[in-house]
Amino acid sequence: MKMLTPNQLNSLNFSGGPGALPETVLDQVREAIVSVPDVGLSILGISHRSDWFASVVAELETNIRVLLGLDKGYRVLFLQGGATQQFSMVPMNLLRGSPVAAQYLHTGYWSGKALPEARREGPVQVAWSGEASGFSHLPTDAELALDADAPYLHYISNETVEGLQFHRVVGRDDVPRICDMSSDFLSRPGEFDRFSLIYAHAQKNIGPAGVTVVVLRDELLQKMRGDVPTFLDYRAQADANSVLNTPPVFAIYVILLVTRWLRDEAGGLPGIAAKNAKKAEVLYKALDASRGFYRGRAAAADRSLMNVVFTLPGSDVEQRFLDEAADAGFSGLNGHRSVGGIRASIYNGLELSAAEMFANFMDDFARRNR
Ligand SMILES: *Cc1c(COP(=O)(O)O)cnc(C)c1O
């Protein structure tokens, strides 16, 4: 491999998750490991019962609410267990004992993981499945069989593995919408007040593993059963202001730094969305200009602005692509183990210059190997 500095290597990290974080955030994290400004202690040794940590949680809640444009009718929780635990917590709290089926969209690998967890808790109806078409596209509104009586509709805004992203809000306004936004949370503006519950673990787009953000409507909290284990009870977590037990102080602090960066340096969600769209445009252009050498996995209309997923003609060429990319300093490009191929993840923290460098690499590789 070429001799690259740690900063250069970090800047070329296209990992699907944990994803790359902005360099200025990493600099502050490095400092906080030794001593948090104004506190004097390492972030790894500060009590979650301290006034300082209470102020971190309060500021982070505000930042998330402001970025999403949500009012005080929404609670913001910081939970553990990743998005996978939300696959269970949602139906435990909202489906257990219901005679009416919750509706789920089956649009790819991760929504497929949510289904069996929901079925443990109650009846589930799949309102649309892309399985027969190999999860290559998302449904149109006309294809969705939506039920007005369902306790909720669950879907995933960005299927991280297949590189499919909804570019609109789906579902009925009279049925609570629940969305897993783990891989595109805080990547673009949206009509977030049309959701009853949004969850997103931090490690794809907004921080390190260990914390999951849950944003939910107060009125949905009131409808919950309250007979689930305390730790898995959204109401108990909300009553305890996310410190029911020891929370991941470090991970929560890092997402605070990321929200400050979004607010102060990245131009808020409109600013980061413009940058993300440009990165995606550069990569999809390289794909489309290759005259079939690179084949995109997703239908053009449903292409993800976060995960660009494609194949090359044959696994030996793919391996050579990965080897040469690694030699040039690019990392994290292997497709998910369930689908193979290549996946370039271009989360918030990745700079446009890195996407441009990778697009040039793609052009050059195609020219030499076509
Ligand atoms: C990665 C991913 C998950 C799994 O998250 P864990 O935090 O590892 O449980 C769930 N949903 C989506 C959309 C993902 O991208």
Side-chain angles (χ1 to χ4, degrees):
M1 198 205 291
K2 276 194 302 194
M3 288 305 286
L4 294 174
T5 66
N7 276 355
Q8 286 170 320
L9 284 172
N10 276 328
S11 74
L12 300 177
N13 180 2
F14 289 76
S15 169
L21 291 174
E23 202 179 310
T24 55
V25 168
L26 292 180
D27 288 342
Q28 293 172 75
V29 170
R30 193 179 296 122
E31 184 187 0
I33 295 278
V34 180
S35 164
V36 172
D38 302 328
V39 180
L41 298 174
S42 162
I43 183 66
L44 303 178
I46 298 181
S47 168
H48 58 290
R49 302 287 174 198
S50 63
D51 290 344
W52 176 78
F53 186 66
S55 75
V56 164
V57 169
E59 184 192 337
L60 180 53
E61 279 191 36
T62 302
N63 289 357
I64 288 176
R65 243 198 234 106
V66 169
L67 285 165
L68 297 179
L70 296 176
D71 60 26
K72 293 266 186 187
Y74 284 82
R75 303 296 303 263
V76 183
L77 309 180
F78 305 106
L79 306 181
Q80 300 188 59
T84 300
Q85 177 156 291
Q86 296 307 305
F87 294 163
S88 300
M89 261 177 90
V90 165
M92 272 182 157
N93 284 273
L94 289 163
L95 185 59
R96 202 175 263 193
S98 167
V100 188
Q103 291 206 299
Y104 277 70
L105 303 191
H106 188 194
T107 48
Y109 179 85
W110 286 115
S111 50
K113 292 282 183 195
L115 282 169
E117 302 307 326
R119 288 192 180 112
R120 284 170 193 273
E121 300 296 335
V124 169
Q125 201 209 356
V126 175
W128 187 82
S129 174
E131 196 167 17
S133 50
F135 300 122
S136 58
H137 64 98
L138 295 173
T140 61
D141 285 336
E143 288 173 302
L144 296 174
L146 298 174
D147 177 5
D149 298 319
Y152 62 84
L153 169 77
H154 178 280
Y155 73 96
I156 293 189
S157 53
N158 182 66
E159 285 281 7
T160 323
V161 170
E162 292 81 3
L164 292 165
Q165 188 177 31
F166 279 104
H167 299 294
R168 67 184 192 284
V169 174
V170 293
R172 308 171 52 104
D173 285 333
D174 54 355
V175 170
R177 269 188 199 89
I178 298 190
C179 194
D180 175 356
M181 296 192 186
S182 291
S183 52
D184 63 1
F185 192 57
L186 303 185
S187 73
R188 57 180 179 178
E191 302 165 286
F192 301 106
D193 59 354
R194 295 178 67 193
F195 294 87
S196 291
L197 189 154
I198 293 167
Y199 61 90
H201 62 202
Q203 72 264 26
K204 302 263 159 70
N205 204 34
I206 58 159
V211 61
T212 300
V213 179
V214 176
V215 180
L216 78 174
R217 246 191 213 139
D218 230 343
E219 126 205 341
L220 190 73
L221 274 179
Q222 309 314 321
K223 282 192 214 154
M224 291 183 180
R225 298 175 52 86
D227 62 351
V228 302
T230 311
F231 189 80
L232 304 176
D233 181 348
Y234 291 111
R235 278 199 295 204
Q237 293 283 2
D239 289 344
N241 282 317
S242 301
V243 283
L244 181 77
N245 68 333
T246 315
V249 171
F250 173 72
I252 290 172
Y253 182 63
V254 179
I255 56 175
L256 173 66
L257 297 176
V258 170
T259 59
R260 284 180 184 164
W261 170 79
L262 279 170
R263 184 191 65 193
D264 303 335
E265 292 175 56
L269 297 192
I272 198 72
K275 174 176 143 187
N276 289 336
K278 189 85 189 110
K279 287 182 289 184
E281 186 191 320
V282 162
L283 294 196
Y284 285 118
K285 205 168 143 203
L287 212 116
D288 292 336
S290 76
R291 287 180 282 123
F293 181 74
Y294 300 115
R295 286 183 185 273
R297 218 184 167 287
D302 305 319
R303 282 174 167 179
S304 168
L305 303 183
M306 297 274 99
N307 311 98
V308 179
V309 181
F310 56 95
T311 57
L312 278 75
S315 53
D316 46 336
V317 191
E318 254 165 30
Q319 194 50 55
R320 200 163 353 113
F321 180 91
L322 288 170
D323 292 343
E324 287 189 24
D327 279 341
F330 302 106
S331 64
L333 287 162
N334 300 62
H336 188 266
R337 58 201 148 76
S338 64
V339 297
I342 312 292
R343 171 174 58 176
S345 297
I346 46 179
Y347 298 127
N348 284 355
L350 191 98
E351 290 302 326
L352 175 60
S353 56
E356 286 169 343
M357 278 171 75
F358 185 57
N360 286 339
F361 171 84
M362 286 175 71
D363 288 343
D364 180 56
F365 187 89
R367 212 173 300 118
R368 287 185 287 107
N369 291 275
R370 190 150 32 214

